[in-house]
Amino acid sequence: MSRILRRVLAALCAVPLLMTASPGAARAADQATVYYKAPAAWSTINIHYAPNGGSWTAVPGVAMTAAGCAGWYRKDIDLGTATGLQVVFNNGSGTWDNNSGRNYSLGTGVITVNAGVVTANASNPCGVTPTPTPTTPGPSPTTAPTTPPTTPATRGEMLGGDPRKDSIYFVLTARFYDGDSANNRGGSQHVKSGNAAGNDPMFRGDFKGLVDKIDYIKALGFSAIWITPVVLNRSDYDYHGYHGWDFYEVDPRLESGGASYQNLIDAAHAKGLKIYQDVVFNHTSRWGAKNLFTPTVYGVRDSQWSWYYSEKVAGKQYNPLEENAAGQTYNGDLWNGTAPAGNTCPNYGQPTGGRSPEGYALYNCQWPSPTAKMFSSNLFHQCWIGNWEGEDARSCWLHEDLADLNTENTAVQDYLIGAYQKYIDMGVDGFRIDTAVHIPRVTWNRRFLPALQQHLTAKYGAAKAKDFYIFGEVAAFVNDKWNRGSVNHSAQFFTWKERNTYSADDTAAALEQFNYENNLGTGNQPTSTNAFLSGNSYHAPDHSQFSGMNIIDMRMHMNFGDAPNAFHNGKDSDDSVNDATYNVVYVDSHDYGPNKSSVRYSGGTDAWAENMTLMWTFRGIPTLYYGSEIEFKAGQRIDCGPSCPLETTGRAYYGNHLAGTVTAGDYGVVGSASGTVATTLSQPLVKHLQKLNQIRRAVPALQMGQYSTDGVSGNMAYKRRYTSGSVDSFALVTVSGGATFTGIPNGTYVDAVTGDTRTVTGGSLTVSLNDKGNLRAYVLSQPGNPAPGKVGATTTYLK
């Protein structure tokens, strides 16, 4: 059996179909009548809008009609259940009036917009009583712009500040907390996966759940939340967010009334927490990307396949909220019984000779595939990856659900840049970049990273723009410093600018860069002292060769079978990273545990405490995968797709542990808690985590400091310092065991764990400790920079 046929057979039972359930009753809709005084040079006037909590119309919006007097145009808009809308105007030729990048925020009733001035409860500017016209519903599914949408700015600003001050809590939004059951969806695999038996739909958690439990995350001590991708997904099992379909729209299975994505960003910011959005540049869903390219697949609604193909409905498009009783969604927009114009798939619609698991005849071009010429060769790559450390890792598909974008193509670049600029404008605080290694560094450095930085600079100014935190997943699942000797596929490689000039053509440049750096090899890569102290002194880091992309610390991640192993391996890589103090450090995630383990970390509570103690005091930004604070699903397989219930995996629903109420008094401080969440917050590992967050927040050296092990004895021991302006923070740290620090400044040192005070007169301090997970962090008390003393209450591990 061919590889393509095996993929077809494996996937045929998992394709979305048409919803047949009728919609529920809705209340009477609100309406806005918008009058706009257009610039004299405009002959065409479009209004582009989004009801509050809803989606934007397709670019360029909908046409306005002449209002009956010179220069004025009008549109009646049905708002559904919304009580207002965001609006911008354009002339259909690329010229916009977007209220200087802020959008116009309008309510209901009659509104006029004239030279930037909005008047609510207005009269008809033409002096006649308006005759109602048919209302225009929110985004029309029949509108398909021929160029990528360029939705103008919505509201929102990032919090700003050095990202190293934060610790990050990582959640799969759909699996965290269910704030609104109305948007829950099980999908076509609900029964097959076993989720139905446990009443556990794949899309269960949502933005409202996150808003409801922001105080839980803050009470743990975190100041940033990394959430999985928010864009509209399309596949049979897409709760995780990595099967993007419409990159310009937020998935409605995550939103609800009063809890849009914008509402989540605003709510987090109001509590002092940042939002880091997971973004994908490398691939789309197997169905391509809306408004970029969608493959047309063969489908005939005969007696065998009528269950599989939705009957076509003019103007209807995929909507994940519309499921039928089998959890299937409309797919009539994807298939055609005859070859479409411009078809490149060979033998379109001809029988393959194979049969589906049900015994039905299979046909050529019945399923998306890179090698069947079903995708545009300009916009998508056309092969499967053969060598994960070879050049084809950037130019071939990872998986059948991940159609690999040709990111060297200008149209693809514009589509993605435009999409993610929208979320910058919403005020997100940073991007975690998925599968970054599968796009050439030269493409990141020449196209994507500069475009994002330019947009940030235009919005915030050059200084604050640098606070936007970008960290990439460069998945090097090996334990050595360089990924099987391939510099192009090693995490630290992506933190550097290019050091050679390549062809103007991006495809040619990708090959040239791969060969150039591959030939130079590991021994001729740039090095840095940005993470290291000079003796006991902090020095200004040199970021002149920084690419703009920080990284997830794959070396430490892969070696976190135990903390000492992670520590020594991490140190070994730090001279090849542009600035390792910006590395994201975690033990496990939604993909893997240490050493590419397929299960959630199960080393035991003592080991978890030790891992956390190291992460929260060593260089880098500590990150915790949701539930690890109570060893949630320890030892369970992290992911099994739809072949087992999600409840039995590391992606299980966490909400049962969060039932009840909680308020945060401060970072790492519970103001009040009741119900199950109070029990969750009482766990020893939670108390440990809270105190670590409090200590780290109190000592700048533990957040942003460079480090050194020179003159330090001890297995996991180091000194750290951060100096900036009037701030001078110096700390001596040892984890789990004793240590001696020599050649250090004389003075008074106070331990942040116990409050113990030591006076150093001979440049040496010895610490006795033999307690797994425990910590000593002696902070030098200086004029203007006093040591904080004992921070937080004594805990099981920090004592």
Side-chain angles (χ1 to χ4, degrees), residues 721 728-731 745-751 757-758 778-789:
R721 192 169 205 152
D728 184 13
S729 177
F730 184 71
N746 292 330
T748 301
Y749 291 79
V750 185
D751 178 28
T757 300
R758 302 282 191 91
Y778 282 91
V779 181
L780 178 62
S781 195
Q782 306 176 77
N785 289 275

Side-chain angles (χ1 to χ4, degrees), residues 55-91:
S55 302
W56 284 89
T57 52
V59 171
V62 294
M64 302 186 77
T65 57
C69 55
W72 284 95
Y73 292 80
R74 170 186 158 199
K75 192 66 184 177
D76 294 331
I77 299 171
D78 182 354
L79 296 177
T81 60
T83 58
L85 70 165
Q86 297 285 308
V87 165
V88 295
F89 305 91
N90 67 84
N91 68 351

Side-chain angles (χ1 to χ4, degrees), residues 344-431:
T344 54
C345 183
N347 303 312
Y348 188 93
Q350 298 301 308
T352 66
R355 296 277 172 176
S356 75
E358 298 84 3
Y360 304 151
L362 295 175
Y363 301 89
N364 285 304
C365 313
Q366 198 172 6
W367 190 253
S369 166
T371 55
K373 300 182 179 180
M374 300 176 76
F375 287 79
S376 162
S377 60
N378 289 328
L379 303 176
F380 288 84
H381 292 134
Q382 307 285 302
C383 54
W384 298 103
I385 289 180
N387 179 4
W388 289 85
E389 279 76 45
E391 191 281 324
D392 61 342
R394 70 96 189 163
S395 58
C396 298
W397 287 36
L398 300 168
H399 187 270
E400 63 188 7
D401 278 321
L402 309 177
D404 199 77
L405 286 162
N406 179 8
T407 50
E408 289 72 66
N409 177 277
T410 301
V412 171
Q413 293 168 358
D414 290 345
Y415 178 86
L416 294 169
I417 290 166
Y420 291 126
Q421 285 176 343
K422 166 183 175 176
Y423 301 106
I424 288 174
D425 290 333
M426 293 177 74
V428 297
D429 301 276
F431 289 154

Side-chain angles (χ1 to χ4, degrees), residues 590-631:
H590 59 322
D591 287 326
Y592 291 102
N595 297 308
K596 206 178 180 182
S597 167
S598 61
V599 302
R600 287 194 73 155
Y601 185 77
S602 57
T605 309
D606 291 356
W608 248 127
E610 185 176 55
N611 290 341
M612 289 180 182
T613 301
L614 175 64
M615 288 193 293
W616 262 256
T617 57
F618 190 43
R619 58 92 187 121
I621 302 171
T623 301
L624 198 70
Y625 183 43
Y626 80 100
S628 293
E629 64 270 25
I630 60 168
E631 298 177 89

Side-chain angles (χ1 to χ4, degrees), residues 172 175 193 195 237-240 242-243 399 401 589-593 597-600 625-626 633 635-652:
L172 273 75
R175 307 303 300 159
S193 64
N195 292 337
Y237 213 57
D238 53 5
Y239 65 94
H240 43 67
Y242 297 99
H243 295 168
H399 187 270
D401 278 321
S589 71
H590 59 322
D591 287 326
Y592 291 102
S597 167
S598 61
V599 302
R600 287 194 73 155
Y625 183 43
Y626 80 100
K633 298 298 178 179
Q636 295 287 330
R637 52 191 163 180
I638 293 173
D639 176 34
C640 62
S643 66
C644 73
L646 280 165
E647 176 57 30
T648 65
T649 73
R651 297 178 174 184

Side-chain angles (χ1 to χ4, degrees), residues 98-454:
N98 61 9
N99 193 22
S100 300
R102 299 187 299 273
N103 297 347
Y104 293 102
S105 183
L106 311 182
T108 59
V110 178
I111 309 108
T112 62
V113 181
N114 183 5
V117 177
V118 175
T119 303
N121 301 315
S123 301
N124 183 341
C126 296
V128 296
T129 302
T131 301
T133 58
T135 59
T136 304
S140 169
T142 63
T143 304
T146 56
T147 57
T150 53
T151 303
T154 54
R155 59 188 175 91
E157 290 195 6
M158 66 173 174
L159 291 179
D162 195 315
R164 295 173 298 177
K165 294 181 178 180
D166 301 303
S167 58
I168 304 171
Y169 192 70
F170 171 36
V171 302
L172 273 75
T173 305
R175 307 303 300 159
F176 185 63
Y177 188 74
D178 188 4
D180 179 9
S181 61
N183 58 14
N184 292 358
R185 294 296 184 273
S188 63
Q189 302 298 292
H190 191 45
V191 173
K192 176 185 175 183
S193 64
N195 292 337
N199 192 26
D200 184 25
M202 61 169 181
F203 266 92
R204 189 171 179 182
D206 45 40
F207 294 148
K208 188 174 188 305
L210 270 172
V211 170
D212 289 347
K213 299 302 176 183
I214 286 175
D215 273 79
Y216 169 78
I217 297 171
K218 185 171 182 177
L220 293 176
F222 293 96
S223 53
I225 310 171
W226 158 15
I227 60 172
T228 40
V230 305
V231 303
L232 177 60
N233 266 228
R234 186 168 191 170
S235 78
D236 57 293
Y237 213 57
D238 53 5
Y239 65 94
H240 43 67
Y242 297 99
H243 295 168
W245 155 251
D246 187 345
F247 287 66
Y248 285 78
E249 294 296 333
V250 175
D251 200 302
R253 291 168 290 186
L254 298 175
E255 294 194 303
S256 50
S260 67
Y261 186 34
Q262 187 69 66
N263 293 144
L264 169 63
I265 296 167
D266 295 345
H269 287 177
K271 298 280 188 179
L273 278 74
K274 297 179 180 178
I275 294 291
Y276 293 149
Q277 179 180 328
D278 211 322
V279 297
V280 183
F281 284 75
N282 176 68
H283 57 262
T284 69
S285 72
R286 65 167 69 102
W287 304 113
K290 183 179 178 181
N291 296 323
L292 181 68
F293 180 84
T294 301
T296 300
V297 298
Y298 176 76
V300 57
R301 297 193 81 248
D302 59 16
S303 59
Q304 294 184 346
W305 290 106
S306 60
W307 63 274
Y308 177 83
Y309 299 112
S310 304
E311 185 173 0
K312 283 186 179 293
V313 178
K316 186 174 179 61
Q317 290 190 351
Y318 164 72
N319 181 349
L321 289 178
E322 297 180 353
E323 291 184 351
N324 65 12
Q328 298 163 325
T329 51
Y330 179 72
N331 68 358
D333 55 328
L334 296 175
W335 63 267
N336 203 324
T338 57
N343 168 64
T344 54
C345 183
N347 303 312
Y348 188 93
Q350 298 301 308
T352 66
R355 296 277 172 176
S356 75
E358 298 84 3
Y360 304 151
L362 295 175
Y363 301 89
N364 285 304
C365 313
Q366 198 172 6
W367 190 253
S369 166
T371 55
K373 300 182 179 180
M374 300 176 76
F375 287 79
S376 162
S377 60
N378 289 328
L379 303 176
F380 288 84
H381 292 134
Q382 307 285 302
C383 54
W384 298 103
I385 289 180
N387 179 4
W388 289 85
E389 279 76 45
E391 191 281 324
D392 61 342
R394 70 96 189 163
S395 58
C396 298
W397 287 36
L398 300 168
H399 187 270
E400 63 188 7
D401 278 321
L402 309 177
D404 199 77
L405 286 162
N406 179 8
T407 50
E408 289 72 66
N409 177 277
T410 301
V412 171
Q413 293 168 358
D414 290 345
Y415 178 86
L416 294 169
I417 290 166
Y420 291 126
Q421 285 176 343
K422 166 183 175 176
Y423 301 106
I424 288 174
D425 290 333
M426 293 177 74
V428 297
D429 301 276
F431 289 154
R432 180 268 189 181
I433 298 179
D434 181 71
T435 52
V437 68
H438 299 293
I439 295 175
R441 187 182 74 178
V442 66
T443 305
W444 285 116
N445 285 351
R446 294 207 308 197
R447 307 303 177 203
F448 294 129
L449 294 172
L452 295 178
Q453 194 62 35
Q454 288 166 11

Side-chain angles (χ1 to χ4, degrees), residues 11-59:
L12 276 175
C13 59
V15 176
L17 300 183
L18 171 66
M19 173 188 175
T20 58
S22 61
R27 69 173 178 83
D30 286 322
Q31 180 171 304
T33 299
V34 181
Y35 289 91
Y36 178 63
K37 184 68 177 289
W42 289 17
S43 58
T44 298
I45 290 81
N46 296 317
I47 181 171
H48 181 44
Y49 67 91
N52 293 346
S55 302
W56 284 89
T57 52
V59 171

